[in-house]
Amino acid sequence: MSLDTPGLWAVTAPAAPALTPLAGDATADLAVVGAGYTGLSAALTAAEAGARVVVLEAEGIGAGGSGRNVGLVNAGLWIMPDEVEARLSPGNPLPGLLANAPAAVWAMIERHQIACEARPVGTLHCAPDAAGLAALAERERQWQARQVAVRLLSPEETRARTGSDRFHGALFDPRAGTVQPLAYARGLGQAALSAGARIHAPSPVVSADRKGGEWILTTPGGRVTAPRVIWAGNAYGQGPAANKAVAIMPYFNFATDPLPEDLRRSILPGGEGAWDTATVLSSFRLDAAGRFVIGSIGQLGVDLAVHEGWARRMMAQLYPQLRGQGFAHRWYGRIGTTPDALPRLFEAGEGAFGITGYNGRGIAPGTVLGRALARAALGEEKLPPLAPAKPDPLRGLRALGLRAGAAAMHLIDRRD
Ligand SMILES: Cc1cc2nc3c(=O)[nH]c(=O)nc-3n(C[C@H](O)[C@H](O)[C@H](O)COP(=O)(O)OP(=O)(O)OC[C@H]3O[C@@H](n4cnc5c(N)ncnc54)[C@H](O)[C@@H]3O)c2cc1C
């Protein structure tokens, strides 16, 4: 059985809107390729502005990273705020946009009444060692210098908030929170449909040709002609949506069955999502029904036993009361990474562009950058300047290193 799926999230998400493949020819003001957060947020924004929008999706809404992730709605990027700014040109609006991006997600959920287990109660970035604690203290300093109310928790507070005594401290970010990721994607899709966008799936775009100032996107069942195209295939891009700028980092999750109430209350009692500062990081959270979800870097193919063994040990280290709990769900997905951890502008000819490479932080960025892409396509505003998605000749090697390195770490890490 393939574990390359949305796993648990497909079991608990509300039903997807009914979609049909594209049949015959259609015209639009804007064509969007890919129905994840980026493509759907773009489609929704453009449709609300009155544009005729057609979304072409190879499989189904949220089939890519948007339906498989951990659901941590975080602000900023992986790298520290100072580093983000140092790597961009002065005055680039991207850092400000991403710092406030979770608020845009919560507003989107509220406005469209998206049932996606949204918990805007903050996240906990946890330090399992002294080096991690120092890094969090620096992150706190940099955010606070930007008037953001993140707070480094003491070991005692961290123990109370996580329910685990494994950490030296944790950075609490009140802007953040969790969602059921596939439910959020499906809700965005429904909102885009309600605003008048058409979404066709399964309709993989197999070729893109420019003729007479228009793009002609071809799928097995028909063609869409539009002057502008947003490419939102990201790490799942195939055919003309494929980009060679990102190295794929696999990330897996395991989830238990719903825990009994007494166990559930002892774990993350405030409902925050959590992850740690380790190089091969771990993430953990509960879903709305009280399933414990634990994840890390790795692919569940030949490496399944290594990662599952690690997940069982890590779960027991974090929460000894969960020792011996089995996993009822296992799945993994692809994260698009860039060498400097910044997203890239994916350009595919006149009037055809997208943003890719969120480096594992795409829920809030996909939402706000999808919107920015639509506004740029409609000529309403400029995109934040980003480096172009140039082919990275080392991406195959980097991907191999990420997968093999994580498997080696999980094999070695046999602490109980
Ligand atoms: C396991 C995992 C955990 C993660 N955890 C988090 C997290 O906790 N927080 C966070 O913020 N981010 C997280 N991420 C990252 C986040 O999920 C992604 O950055 C985000 O979903 C990207 O959204 P997207 O819309 O740009 O792309 P995707 O959601 O990947 O969507 C791309 C879509 O394009 C379609 N497509 C591709 N090519 C074509 C084509 N030729 N024709 C038609 N359709 C095409 C695909 O089928 C797919 O549906 C995680 C990712 C993974 C995989």
Side-chain angles (χ1 to χ4, degrees), residues 32-40 56-74 78 181 203-206 231-242 249-253 283 296 331-336 355-366:
V32 175
V33 184
Y37 306 134
T38 307
L40 293 170
L56 298 170
E57 162 55 44
E59 294 182 33
I61 290 175
S66 300
R68 303 163 182 240
N69 62 69
V70 180
L72 302 172
V73 182
N74 275 321
W78 278 115
S203 290
V205 174
V206 293
W231 292 97
N234 216 321
Y236 282 80
Q238 48 173 288
M249 178 172 85
Y251 199 95
F252 62 76
N253 279 289
S283 51
S296 184
W331 72 100
Y332 72 95
R334 300 154 64 102
I335 289 177
I355 293 179
T356 186
Y358 297 135
N359 290 273
R361 187 162 295 193
I363 303 177

Side-chain angles (χ1 to χ4, degrees), residues 140-159:
E140 178 194 45
R141 188 194 65 73
Q142 292 185 16
W143 277 124
Q144 288 185 351
R146 291 165 174 80
Q147 280 73 52
V148 175
V150 300
R151 193 166 69 82
L152 190 58
L153 308 181
S154 69
E156 295 70 34
E157 284 175 299
T158 303
R159 194 170 307 125

Side-chain angles (χ1 to χ4, degrees), residues 17-241:
L19 302 176
T20 52
L22 179 67
D25 289 349
T27 55
D29 300 316
L30 174 68
V32 175
V33 184
Y37 306 134
T38 307
L40 293 170
S41 175
L44 171 60
T45 305
E48 282 181 333
R52 291 172 309 144
V53 182
V54 175
V55 181
L56 298 170
E57 162 55 44
E59 294 182 33
I61 290 175
S66 300
R68 303 163 182 240
N69 62 69
V70 180
L72 302 172
V73 182
N74 275 321
L77 291 170
W78 278 115
I79 48 177
M80 301 235 188
D82 281 3
E83 215 176 332
V84 175
E85 284 180 22
R87 290 179 187 183
L88 295 170
S89 48
N92 190 311
L94 186 71
L97 202 61
L98 297 183
N100 296 317
V105 172
W106 310 131
M108 184 76 96
I109 291 168
E110 176 69 24
R111 190 151 76 89
H112 298 285
Q113 292 294 296
I114 299 176
C116 61
E117 304 180 10
R119 299 209 71 178
V121 296
T123 51
L124 298 165
H125 193 179
C126 303
D129 52 30
L133 189 63
L136 291 181
E138 176 57 19
R139 205 175 267 270
E140 178 194 45
R141 188 194 65 73
Q142 292 185 16
W143 277 124
Q144 288 185 351
R146 291 165 174 80
Q147 280 73 52
V148 175
V150 300
R151 193 166 69 82
L152 190 58
L153 308 181
S154 69
E156 295 70 34
E157 284 175 299
T158 303
R159 194 170 307 125
R161 295 287 275 271
T162 59
S164 174
D165 59 9
R166 188 176 151 80
F167 301 111
H168 293 224
L171 190 66
F172 172 64
D173 188 339
R175 298 168 296 181
T178 57
V179 290
Q180 205 279 27
L182 181 60
Y184 177 52
R186 288 181 175 174
L188 277 181
Q190 185 54 60
L193 288 168
S194 302
R198 287 169 60 179
I199 306 177
H200 291 289
S203 290
V205 174
V206 293
S207 69
D209 303 292
R210 180 100 175 146
K211 272 196 198 127
E214 302 269 346
W215 284 101
I216 301 166
L217 303 184
T218 304
T219 71
R223 296 180 307 178
V224 173
T225 302
R228 287 172 294 264
V229 179
I230 288 177
W231 292 97
N234 216 321
Y236 282 80
Q238 48 173 288

